[in-house]
Amino acid sequence: MQNMIYTNCSVATMVKGDEPYGLLDNAAIVVSNERVAWVGKSDDIPVEFTGIEREDLDGKLVTPALIDCHTHLVFGGTRAQEFEARLKGASYQEIARSGGGIVSTVIATRSATDEQLIEQSLKRLDDLINEGVAVVEVKSGYGLTIEDELRMLRIARKLATLRPVKVMTTWLAAHAIPPEYLARADQYIDEVAIPGLRKGAAQGLIDAVDGFCEDIAFSAAQIERLFVVAKSLNIPVKLHAEQLTDQKGALLAAKYKGLSADHLEYLAETDIQEFAASGAVAVLLPGAFYTLRETKLPPIDCLRKYNVDIAIASDCNPGSSPLSSILTAMNMACKEFLMTPEEALTGVTRSAAKALNLADDYGVVAAGAIAELAIWDLKHPAELAYWIGGSRLNKRISPLVNI
Ligand code: NIG
Ligand code: FE
């Protein structure tokens, strides 16, 4: 990428401070060696940068490129029939217990070829990229054998070679109990989740370890055995916690210094202080809340009270959140969770970067960060959460995009 001074823009830097959105009007951004070298008022560009070429951004809005820190976007098939069944009264748990749910996607994913999975996943990834997303987390969890789980992560990594996006891969073998291990969850953890984690780690395929801590999936004790191995391999953990019931998953994530606990509708307020002390991010997933017609809100005021960083993600998956739009997730966070547009944007930039252990490089427009910028045909950053449908992305400025 070329060294450049971008002038005549307003920048939502998303740097924590007094100004909402870290907003700078009449701003300029100096990009040098693929990093932001300086950002500030156009009138104050330091003399040391005077030789660098300039591009006028015509008053446009600049934000950090967006980050989707929780997706399951590699999968086969759809679950549109379950959507229909739920509308007729079946619950997500009932469908899962009767052999549908995640397990039905496992069957579709196992039987799809690599090429089919890549083709279907790219469509969802392109939806995100078209909305200014530069970093996407992708979980395994629809293979549920060692080889099928590793294949999902390989495919996720492959996507990053086909598109201008950074992919972070998460080992989610503890997502559901496959039919061949019915009523033998402990054995599944011992024979698949743990040895597969070791194998994937040895192959450098795993950036983080996740689990589904729920009465229809794995207990906190079962997940803990996996986390012990993750820690011994120096791989950070995170957890699907308190989505449908309170299993004390957030506290388990906190105990293992997790990057995040995700969903959290049923998180008890009395557990939040301890969770906050761990420094983990609360990743809220309004697409799942919306799709499952959940009515119990995550304890947002209490998370705010204890200064927990809150991220927002699409949770793109065929069951609980068939959503490949991070902007719609932001809108839902405002409408469903009464978060502010500023909190929603923080949730897909600075806090999402923290949830992926990438806070040094992504999520803010600040000196030292990677020059991953989204340029919008919008006047004010609140518009990112305000519009429903469509994308006003003008372009990305990125070391990954040749322009
Ligand atoms: O984040 N809760 C567990 N996993 C996904 C749903 C996966 C599925 O239903 O296929 C989630 O909601
Ligand atoms: Fe999820």
Side-chain angles (χ1 to χ4, degrees), residues 70 72 75 79 82 86 92 101-103 105 139 141-142 172 175 211-214 216-217 240 243-244 262-263 285 288 292 315-321:
H70 179 140
H72 309 244
F75 59 82
R79 303 233 293 278
E82 286 179 17
R86 280 200 308 274
Y92 183 76
I102 293 172
V103 166
T105 299
K139 301 172 195 298
Y142 295 121
L172 179 58
H175 193 200
F212 188 19
C213 188
E214 196 53 68
I216 53 167
H240 284 73
Q243 179 185 11
L244 307 167
D262 304 31
H263 286 287
L285 303 166
L292 299 183
D315 195 14
C316 177
N317 77 70
S320 67
S321 190

mmCIF file of all heavy atoms in Angstrom, residues 70 72 75 79 82 86 92 101-103 105 139 141-142 172 175 211-214 216-217 240 243-244 262-263 285 288 292 315-321, ligand 1:
data_model
loop_
_atom_site.group_PDB
_atom_site.id
_atom_site.type_symbol
_atom_site.label_atom_id
_atom_site.label_comp_id
_atom_site.label_asym_id
_atom_site.label_seq_id
_atom_site.Cartn_x
_atom_site.Cartn_y
_atom_site.Cartn_z
ATOM 1 N N HIS A 70 -17.440 -12.644 16.087
ATOM 2 C CA HIS A 70 -18.092 -13.922 16.432
ATOM 3 C C HIS A 70 -18.948 -14.349 15.250
ATOM 4 O O HIS A 70 -20.034 -13.810 15.035
ATOM 5 C CB HIS A 70 -18.946 -13.732 17.700
ATOM 6 C CG HIS A 70 -19.699 -14.948 18.156
ATOM 7 N ND1 HIS A 70 -19.827 -15.294 19.492
ATOM 8 C CD2 HIS A 70 -20.391 -15.907 17.478
ATOM 9 C CE1 HIS A 70 -20.557 -16.386 19.610
ATOM 10 N NE2 HIS A 70 -20.915 -16.780 18.391
ATOM 11 N N HIS A 72 -19.996 -18.013 12.654
ATOM 12 C CA HIS A 72 -19.883 -19.444 12.317
ATOM 13 C C HIS A 72 -20.101 -19.503 10.804
ATOM 14 O O HIS A 72 -20.944 -20.245 10.333
ATOM 15 C CB HIS A 72 -20.973 -20.260 12.994
ATOM 16 C CG HIS A 72 -21.131 -20.058 14.478
ATOM 17 N ND1 HIS A 72 -20.898 -21.061 15.383
ATOM 18 C CD2 HIS A 72 -21.525 -18.991 15.232
ATOM 19 C CE1 HIS A 72 -21.151 -20.623 16.624
ATOM 20 N NE2 HIS A 72 -21.534 -19.372 16.544
ATOM 21 N N PHE A 75 -20.358 -23.108 6.819
ATOM 22 C CA PHE A 75 -21.290 -24.212 7.102
ATOM 23 C C PHE A 75 -21.963 -24.640 5.806
ATOM 24 O O PHE A 75 -21.997 -23.889 4.827
ATOM 25 C CB PHE A 75 -22.353 -23.800 8.141
ATOM 26 C CG PHE A 75 -23.210 -22.619 7.754
ATOM 27 C CD1 PHE A 75 -24.316 -22.762 6.930
ATOM 28 C CD2 PHE A 75 -22.909 -21.352 8.239
ATOM 29 C CE1 PHE A 75 -25.109 -21.668 6.593
ATOM 30 C CE2 PHE A 75 -23.699 -20.248 7.900
ATOM 31 C CZ PHE A 75 -24.803 -20.410 7.070
ATOM 32 N N ARG A 79 -31.083 -23.739 7.471
ATOM 33 C CA ARG A 79 -32.058 -24.321 8.412
ATOM 34 C C ARG A 79 -33.374 -23.547 8.308
ATOM 35 O O ARG A 79 -34.035 -23.271 9.317
ATOM 36 C CB ARG A 79 -31.494 -24.297 9.844
ATOM 37 C CG ARG A 79 -30.144 -25.036 9.954
ATOM 38 C CD ARG A 79 -30.116 -26.088 11.026
ATOM 39 N NE ARG A 79 -30.205 -25.547 12.359
ATOM 40 C CZ ARG A 79 -29.175 -25.054 13.055
ATOM 41 N NH1 ARG A 79 -27.965 -25.024 12.532
ATOM 42 N NH2 ARG A 79 -29.359 -24.610 14.277
ATOM 43 N N GLU A 82 -36.358 -25.022 10.010
ATOM 44 C CA GLU A 82 -36.455 -24.813 11.463
ATOM 45 C C GLU A 82 -37.009 -23.431 11.780
ATOM 46 O O GLU A 82 -37.703 -23.232 12.782
ATOM 47 C CB GLU A 82 -35.082 -24.959 12.110
ATOM 48 C CG GLU A 82 -34.646 -26.390 12.172
ATOM 49 C CD GLU A 82 -33.278 -26.537 12.798
ATOM 50 O OE1 GLU A 82 -32.787 -25.605 13.469
ATOM 51 O OE2 GLU A 82 -32.680 -27.601 12.587
ATOM 52 N N ARG A 86 -40.106 -22.987 14.104
ATOM 53 C CA ARG A 86 -40.126 -22.116 15.296
ATOM 54 C C ARG A 86 -41.291 -21.133 15.235
ATOM 55 O O ARG A 86 -41.910 -20.813 16.247
ATOM 56 C CB ARG A 86 -38.801 -21.377 15.455
ATOM 57 C CG ARG A 86 -37.692 -22.207 16.080
ATOM 58 C CD ARG A 86 -36.582 -21.332 16.665
ATOM 59 N NE ARG A 86 -36.104 -20.369 15.697
ATOM 60 C CZ ARG A 86 -35.162 -20.618 14.791
ATOM 61 N NH1 ARG A 86 -34.580 -21.791 14.740
ATOM 62 N NH2 ARG A 86 -34.793 -19.691 13.938
ATOM 63 N N TYR A 92 -36.042 -23.488 20.039
ATOM 64 C CA TYR A 92 -34.676 -23.832 19.602
ATOM 65 C C TYR A 92 -34.198 -25.088 20.341
ATOM 66 O O TYR A 92 -33.642 -26.008 19.744
ATOM 67 C CB TYR A 92 -33.775 -22.628 19.890
ATOM 68 C CG TYR A 92 -32.341 -22.748 19.443
ATOM 69 C CD1 TYR A 92 -31.997 -22.618 18.099
ATOM 70 C CD2 TYR A 92 -31.321 -22.962 20.365
ATOM 71 C CE1 TYR A 92 -30.668 -22.703 17.684
ATOM 72 C CE2 TYR A 92 -29.995 -23.049 19.972
ATOM 73 C CZ TYR A 92 -29.682 -22.919 18.626
ATOM 74 O OH TYR A 92 -28.373 -23.007 18.233
ATOM 75 N N GLY A 101 -31.396 -28.816 14.708
ATOM 76 C CA GLY A 101 -30.483 -27.803 15.225
ATOM 77 C C GLY A 101 -29.073 -27.963 14.683
ATOM 78 O O GLY A 101 -28.873 -28.329 13.525
ATOM 79 N N ILE A 102 -28.093 -27.724 15.556
ATOM 80 C CA ILE A 102 -26.686 -27.734 15.135
ATOM 81 C C ILE A 102 -26.351 -29.050 14.430
ATOM 82 O O ILE A 102 -25.668 -29.065 13.405
ATOM 83 C CB ILE A 102 -25.772 -27.509 16.362
ATOM 84 C CG1 ILE A 102 -25.984 -26.079 16.909
ATOM 85 C CG2 ILE A 102 -24.302 -27.729 16.011
ATOM 86 C CD1 ILE A 102 -25.294 -25.789 18.231
ATOM 87 N N VAL A 103 -26.891 -30.165 14.963
ATOM 88 C CA VAL A 103 -26.560 -31.472 14.386
ATOM 89 C C VAL A 103 -27.008 -31.574 12.924
ATOM 90 O O VAL A 103 -26.325 -32.187 12.095
ATOM 91 C CB VAL A 103 -27.155 -32.606 15.256
ATOM 92 C CG1 VAL A 103 -27.128 -33.944 14.536
ATOM 93 C CG2 VAL A 103 -26.364 -32.706 16.572
ATOM 94 N N THR A 105 -26.976 -29.177 10.773
ATOM 95 C CA THR A 105 -25.947 -28.473 9.990
ATOM 96 C C THR A 105 -24.658 -29.294 9.928
ATOM 97 O O THR A 105 -23.914 -29.225 8.948
ATOM 98 C CB THR A 105 -25.679 -27.074 10.583
ATOM 99 O OG1 THR A 105 -26.901 -26.323 10.532
ATOM 100 C CG2 THR A 105 -24.605 -26.323 9.807
ATOM 101 N N LYS A 139 -15.571 -19.724 13.444
ATOM 102 C CA LYS A 139 -15.467 -20.873 14.342
ATOM 103 C C LYS A 139 -15.675 -22.175 13.579
ATOM 104 O O LYS A 139 -16.412 -22.210 12.592
ATOM 105 C CB LYS A 139 -16.561 -20.792 15.409
ATOM 106 C CG LYS A 139 -16.506 -19.527 16.256
ATOM 107 C CD LYS A 139 -17.730 -19.417 17.152
ATOM 108 C CE LYS A 139 -17.904 -18.028 17.749
ATOM 109 N NZ LYS A 139 -16.835 -17.585 18.622
ATOM 110 N N GLY A 141 -17.104 -26.176 14.445
ATOM 111 C CA GLY A 141 -18.273 -26.525 15.255
ATOM 112 C C GLY A 141 -19.383 -27.218 14.482
ATOM 113 O O GLY A 141 -20.391 -27.604 15.070
ATOM 114 N N TYR A 142 -19.185 -27.370 13.159
ATOM 115 C CA TYR A 142 -20.169 -28.122 12.382
ATOM 116 C C TYR A 142 -19.531 -29.352 11.740
ATOM 117 O O TYR A 142 -20.072 -29.915 10.792
ATOM 118 C CB TYR A 142 -20.809 -27.241 11.306
ATOM 119 C CG TYR A 142 -21.641 -26.093 11.850
ATOM 120 C CD1 TYR A 142 -21.345 -24.779 11.527
ATOM 121 C CD2 TYR A 142 -22.731 -26.348 12.678
ATOM 122 C CE1 TYR A 142 -22.113 -23.724 12.012
ATOM 123 C CE2 TYR A 142 -23.493 -25.301 13.176
ATOM 124 C CZ TYR A 142 -23.181 -23.995 12.833
ATOM 125 O OH TYR A 142 -23.946 -22.967 13.324
ATOM 126 N N LEU A 172 -14.139 -24.732 17.942
ATOM 127 C CA LEU A 172 -15.425 -24.881 18.649
ATOM 128 C C LEU A 172 -15.936 -26.320 18.494
ATOM 129 O O LEU A 172 -17.085 -26.558 18.163
ATOM 130 C CB LEU A 172 -16.440 -23.836 18.129
ATOM 131 C CG LEU A 172 -17.852 -23.845 18.715
ATOM 132 C CD1 LEU A 172 -17.881 -23.657 20.226
ATOM 133 C CD2 LEU A 172 -18.739 -22.799 18.040
ATOM 134 N N HIS A 175 -19.288 -27.823 20.512
ATOM 135 C CA HIS A 175 -20.446 -27.028 20.078
ATOM 136 C C HIS A 175 -21.734 -27.819 20.273
ATOM 137 O O HIS A 175 -22.754 -27.275 20.675
ATOM 138 C CB HIS A 175 -20.257 -26.654 18.588
ATOM 139 C CG HIS A 175 -21.187 -25.591 18.098
ATOM 140 N ND1 HIS A 175 -21.449 -25.403 16.759
ATOM 141 C CD2 HIS A 175 -21.902 -24.647 18.743
ATOM 142 C CE1 HIS A 175 -22.292 -24.393 16.617
ATOM 143 N NE2 HIS A 175 -22.589 -23.915 17.797
ATOM 144 N N GLY A 211 -16.506 -22.844 23.362
ATOM 145 C CA GLY A 211 -17.394 -23.961 23.647
ATOM 146 C C GLY A 211 -18.813 -23.438 23.774
ATOM 147 O O GLY A 211 -19.023 -22.227 23.884
ATOM 148 N N PHE A 212 -19.773 -24.344 23.749
ATOM 149 C CA PHE A 212 -21.180 -23.983 23.949
ATOM 150 C C PHE A 212 -21.570 -24.554 25.300
ATOM 151 O O PHE A 212 -21.766 -25.767 25.444
ATOM 152 C CB PHE A 212 -22.024 -24.554 22.806
ATOM 153 C CG PHE A 212 -23.471 -24.105 22.792
ATOM 154 C CD1 PHE A 212 -23.912 -22.974 23.471
ATOM 155 C CD2 PHE A 212 -24.408 -24.820 22.058
ATOM 156 C CE1 PHE A 212 -25.243 -22.562 23.433
ATOM 157 C CE2 PHE A 212 -25.749 -24.429 22.002
ATOM 158 C CZ PHE A 212 -26.164 -23.298 22.705
ATOM 159 N N CYS A 213 -21.601 -23.676 26.302
ATOM 160 C CA CYS A 213 -21.877 -24.094 27.675
ATOM 161 C C CYS A 213 -23.380 -23.928 27.902
ATOM 162 O O CYS A 213 -23.869 -22.820 28.107
ATOM 163 C CB CYS A 213 -21.066 -23.207 28.625
ATOM 164 S SG CYS A 213 -21.126 -23.759 30.328
ATOM 165 N N GLU A 214 -24.100 -25.042 27.825
ATOM 166 C CA GLU A 214 -25.565 -24.944 27.838
ATOM 167 C C GLU A 214 -26.132 -26.311 28.169
ATOM 168 O O GLU A 214 -25.470 -27.325 27.922
ATOM 169 C CB GLU A 214 -26.018 -24.463 26.448
ATOM 170 C CG GLU A 214 -27.433 -23.953 26.360
ATOM 171 C CD GLU A 214 -27.761 -22.859 27.382
ATOM 172 O OE1 GLU A 214 -27.212 -21.743 27.285
ATOM 173 O OE2 GLU A 214 -28.572 -23.151 28.277
ATOM 174 N N ILE A 216 -28.273 -27.946 26.619
ATOM 175 C CA ILE A 216 -28.402 -28.766 25.400
ATOM 176 C C ILE A 216 -27.041 -29.059 24.766
ATOM 177 O O ILE A 216 -26.976 -29.662 23.699
ATOM 178 C CB ILE A 216 -29.330 -28.114 24.339
ATOM 179 C CG1 ILE A 216 -28.893 -26.680 24.021
ATOM 180 C CG2 ILE A 216 -30.782 -28.192 24.751
ATOM 181 C CD1 ILE A 216 -29.554 -26.092 22.775
ATOM 182 N N ALA A 217 -25.963 -28.639 25.401
ATOM 183 C CA ALA A 217 -24.631 -28.877 24.820
ATOM 184 C C ALA A 217 -23.681 -29.400 25.907
ATOM 185 O O ALA A 217 -23.801 -30.557 26.308
ATOM 186 C CB ALA A 217 -24.119 -27.592 24.165
ATOM 187 N N HIS A 240 -19.396 -19.419 24.544
ATOM 188 C CA HIS A 240 -20.835 -19.166 24.397
ATOM 189 C C HIS A 240 -21.436 -19.392 25.780
ATOM 190 O O HIS A 240 -21.521 -20.543 26.231
ATOM 191 C CB HIS A 240 -21.470 -20.155 23.430
ATOM 192 C CG HIS A 240 -21.206 -19.898 21.982
ATOM 193 N ND1 HIS A 240 -19.995 -20.123 21.386
ATOM 194 C CD2 HIS A 240 -22.027 -19.417 21.008
ATOM 195 C CE1 HIS A 240 -20.084 -19.814 20.099
ATOM 196 N NE2 HIS A 240 -21.306 -19.385 19.842
ATOM 197 N N GLN A 243 -26.570 -18.124 27.125
ATOM 198 C CA GLN A 243 -27.456 -17.746 26.006
ATOM 199 C C GLN A 243 -28.913 -18.115 26.312
ATOM 200 O O GLN A 243 -29.826 -17.345 26.024
ATOM 201 C CB GLN A 243 -27.027 -18.425 24.698
ATOM 202 C CG GLN A 243 -27.952 -18.062 23.523
ATOM 203 C CD GLN A 243 -27.637 -18.808 22.233
ATOM 204 O OE1 GLN A 243 -26.850 -19.752 22.232
ATOM 205 N NE2 GLN A 243 -28.244 -18.378 21.141
ATOM 206 N N LEU A 244 -29.094 -19.338 26.864
ATOM 207 C CA LEU A 244 -30.454 -19.835 27.069
ATOM 208 C C LEU A 244 -30.758 -20.064 28.543
ATOM 209 O O LEU A 244 -31.913 -20.018 28.956
ATOM 210 C CB LEU A 244 -30.646 -21.145 26.286
ATOM 211 C CG LEU A 244 -30.280 -21.074 24.788
ATOM 212 C CD1 LEU A 244 -30.192 -22.471 24.180
ATOM 213 C CD2 LEU A 244 -31.282 -20.224 24.006
ATOM 214 N N ASP A 262 -19.777 -14.756 25.395
ATOM 215 C CA ASP A 262 -20.628 -14.298 24.295
ATOM 216 C C ASP A 262 -22.080 -14.727 24.502
ATOM 217 O O ASP A 262 -22.338 -15.837 24.988
ATOM 218 C CB ASP A 262 -20.104 -14.862 22.975
ATOM 219 C CG ASP A 262 -18.636 -14.506 22.702
ATOM 220 O OD1 ASP A 262 -17.861 -14.374 23.666
ATOM 221 O OD2 ASP A 262 -18.271 -14.373 21.529
ATOM 222 N N HIS A 263 -22.999 -13.871 24.132
ATOM 223 C CA HIS A 263 -24.466 -13.976 24.277
ATOM 224 C C HIS A 263 -24.906 -13.286 25.571
ATOM 225 O O HIS A 263 -25.368 -12.163 25.543
ATOM 226 C CB HIS A 263 -24.989 -15.428 24.253
ATOM 227 C CG HIS A 263 -24.978 -16.056 22.906
ATOM 228 N ND1 HIS A 263 -25.864 -15.716 21.915
ATOM 229 C CD2 HIS A 263 -24.177 -17.010 22.369
ATOM 230 C CE1 HIS A 263 -25.624 -16.448 20.838
ATOM 231 N NE2 HIS A 263 -24.601 -17.230 21.083
ATOM 232 N N LEU A 285 -24.919 -10.558 20.960
ATOM 233 C CA LEU A 285 -25.255 -11.071 19.630
ATOM 234 C C LEU A 285 -26.743 -10.826 19.357
ATOM 235 O O LEU A 285 -27.577 -11.732 19.494
ATOM 236 C CB LEU A 285 -24.890 -12.560 19.569
ATOM 237 C CG LEU A 285 -23.404 -12.806 19.901
ATOM 238 C CD1 LEU A 285 -23.116 -14.263 20.185
ATOM 239 C CD2 LEU A 285 -22.507 -12.295 18.781
ATOM 240 N N ALA A 288 -29.032 -13.237 17.170
ATOM 241 C CA ALA A 288 -29.574 -14.465 17.769
ATOM 242 C C ALA A 288 -30.758 -14.120 18.675
ATOM 243 O O ALA A 288 -31.776 -14.816 18.680
ATOM 244 C CB ALA A 288 -28.488 -15.197 18.552
ATOM 245 N N LEU A 292 -34.328 -15.744 17.611
ATOM 246 C CA LEU A 292 -34.962 -16.688 18.539
ATOM 247 C C LEU A 292 -36.105 -16.029 19.316
ATOM 248 O O LEU A 292 -36.704 -16.652 20.188
ATOM 249 C CB LEU A 292 -33.920 -17.269 19.505
ATOM 250 C CG LEU A 292 -32.783 -18.057 18.837
ATOM 251 C CD1 LEU A 292 -31.843 -18.641 19.887
ATOM 252 C CD2 LEU A 292 -33.313 -19.166 17.931
ATOM 253 N N ASP A 315 -22.774 -13.174 14.727
ATOM 254 C CA ASP A 315 -23.060 -14.582 15.071
ATOM 255 C C ASP A 315 -23.525 -15.346 13.832
ATOM 256 O O ASP A 315 -24.262 -16.332 13.959
ATOM 257 C CB ASP A 315 -24.091 -14.673 16.199
ATOM 258 C CG ASP A 315 -24.159 -16.052 16.857
ATOM 259 O OD1 ASP A 315 -23.243 -16.857 16.638
ATOM 260 O OD2 ASP A 315 -25.132 -16.314 17.575
ATOM 261 N N CYS A 316 -23.129 -14.879 12.645
ATOM 262 C CA CYS A 316 -23.605 -15.498 11.393
ATOM 263 C C CYS A 316 -23.587 -17.025 11.486
ATOM 264 O O CYS A 316 -22.530 -17.635 11.623
ATOM 265 C CB CYS A 316 -22.707 -15.022 10.255
ATOM 266 S SG CYS A 316 -23.133 -15.763 8.672
ATOM 267 N N ASN A 317 -24.757 -17.634 11.469
ATOM 268 C CA ASN A 317 -24.880 -19.098 11.513
ATOM 269 C C ASN A 317 -26.257 -19.477 10.993
ATOM 270 O O ASN A 317 -27.164 -18.641 10.955
ATOM 271 C CB ASN A 317 -24.634 -19.615 12.946
ATOM 272 C CG ASN A 317 -25.818 -19.410 13.875
ATOM 273 O OD1 ASN A 317 -26.850 -20.054 13.728
ATOM 274 N ND2 ASN A 317 -25.695 -18.494 14.823
ATOM 275 N N PRO A 318 -26.440 -20.733 10.579
ATOM 276 C CA PRO A 318 -27.705 -21.089 9.922
ATOM 277 C C PRO A 318 -28.882 -21.279 10.872
ATOM 278 O O PRO A 318 -30.030 -21.346 10.418
ATOM 279 C CB PRO A 318 -27.369 -22.423 9.236
ATOM 280 C CG PRO A 318 -26.282 -23.008 10.086
ATOM 281 C CD PRO A 318 -25.479 -21.847 10.593
ATOM 282 N N GLY A 319 -28.620 -21.380 12.177
ATOM 283 C CA GLY A 319 -29.698 -21.683 13.107
ATOM 284 C C GLY A 319 -30.234 -20.454 13.807
ATOM 285 O O GLY A 319 -31.340 -19.982 13.540
ATOM 286 N N SER A 320 -29.413 -19.901 14.693
ATOM 287 C CA SER A 320 -29.922 -18.838 15.563
ATOM 288 C C SER A 320 -29.719 -17.436 15.014
ATOM 289 O O SER A 320 -30.284 -16.481 15.547
ATOM 290 C CB SER A 320 -29.251 -18.926 16.936
ATOM 291 O OG SER A 320 -27.878 -18.622 16.816
ATOM 292 N N SER A 321 -28.895 -17.310 13.949
ATOM 293 C CA SER A 321 -28.630 -15.948 13.463
ATOM 294 C C SER A 321 -28.195 -15.973 11.997
ATOM 295 O O SER A 321 -27.014 -15.806 11.688
ATOM 296 C CB SER A 321 -27.554 -15.278 14.338
ATOM 297 O OG SER A 321 -27.439 -13.906 14.034
HETATM 298 O O1 NIG B 1 -24.044 -18.756 18.649
HETATM 299 N N1 NIG B 1 -25.234 -21.166 20.493
HETATM 300 C C1 NIG B 1 -24.528 -21.897 19.852
HETATM 301 N N2 NIG B 1 -24.085 -21.672 18.639
HETATM 302 C C2 NIG B 1 -24.694 -20.772 17.727
HETATM 303 C C3 NIG B 1 -25.853 -21.377 17.067
HETATM 304 C C4 NIG B 1 -25.440 -22.415 16.171
HETATM 305 C C5 NIG B 1 -26.557 -23.049 15.418
HETATM 306 O O2 NIG B 1 -27.736 -23.006 15.847
HETATM 307 O O3 NIG B 1 -26.221 -23.613 14.368
HETATM 308 C C6 NIG B 1 -24.994 -19.439 18.347
HETATM 309 O O4 NIG B 1 -26.155 -19.033 18.547
#
